[in-house]
Amino acid sequence: MRTIRMVYPARQKLYWIQDNLSANWTPDIRKFAAANKIELVPTPTYASYLNPIESHFRPIQEFVFNSTDYPDWNTAQRALADYITHRNGRDHDRRIAVLERKHRVAA
């Protein structure tokens, strides 16, 4: 949360969408959000698919983890970082966009 907050101007309010996992709603998180102009927005119970980030998980599964057998977590982490660099690169991969669009429920 700190890293993302640093990307945006302090005067800009952020809306932080998250599911209802109790670890997401600790007093420390609520305190940090209140002090840093972040509004915590819960998704309805059993409706995490309404969180816009969810549409990105299927392409990650498809392009990073399916049919793989990484020897350790560091290698898997590197593959995920490479995917994110590719996904956010200048040349948008249509295969990724198709999967994201297919799984996007909330705009």
Side-chain angles (χ1 to χ4, degrees):
M1 193 180 283
R2 284 184 183 92
T3 303
I4 292 173
R5 175 70 267 181
M6 290 178 359
V7 172
Y8 298 94
R11 68 182 181 282
Q12 182 178 358
K13 185 174 188 174
L14 298 181
Y15 295 89
W16 191 275
I17 302 170
Q18 56 188 17
D19 61 23
N20 292 311
L21 180 68
S22 62
N24 293 338
W25 297 93
T26 64
D28 288 341
I29 289 175
R30 290 173 188 254
K31 184 178 174 183
F32 179 84
N36 289 279
K37 210 168 183 183
I38 298 172
E39 183 172 334
L40 300 175
V41 181
T43 55
T45 303
Y46 302 111
S48 63
Y49 61 87
L50 292 175
N51 187 337
I53 195 69
E54 295 288 329
S55 67
H56 298 282
F57 294 150
R58 179 66 179 116
I60 289 171
Q61 177 73 35
E62 182 73 25
F63 294 108
V64 179
F65 294 108
N66 279 358
S67 301
T68 60
D69 187 19
Y70 296 116
D72 54 43
W73 284 107
N74 290 334
T75 307
Q77 184 179 10
R78 183 72 229 158
L80 181 57
D82 290 344
Y83 165 81
I84 292 170
T85 300
H86 174 72
R87 189 249 177 246
N88 293 338
R90 300 181 84 201
D91 299 323
H92 296 287
D93 190 326
R94 290 185 45 77
R95 299 170 302 162
I96 295 171
V98 166
L99 279 174
E100 287 177 354
R101 198 169 29 258
K102 186 176 178 180
H103 294 278
R104 187 174 298 133
V105 173

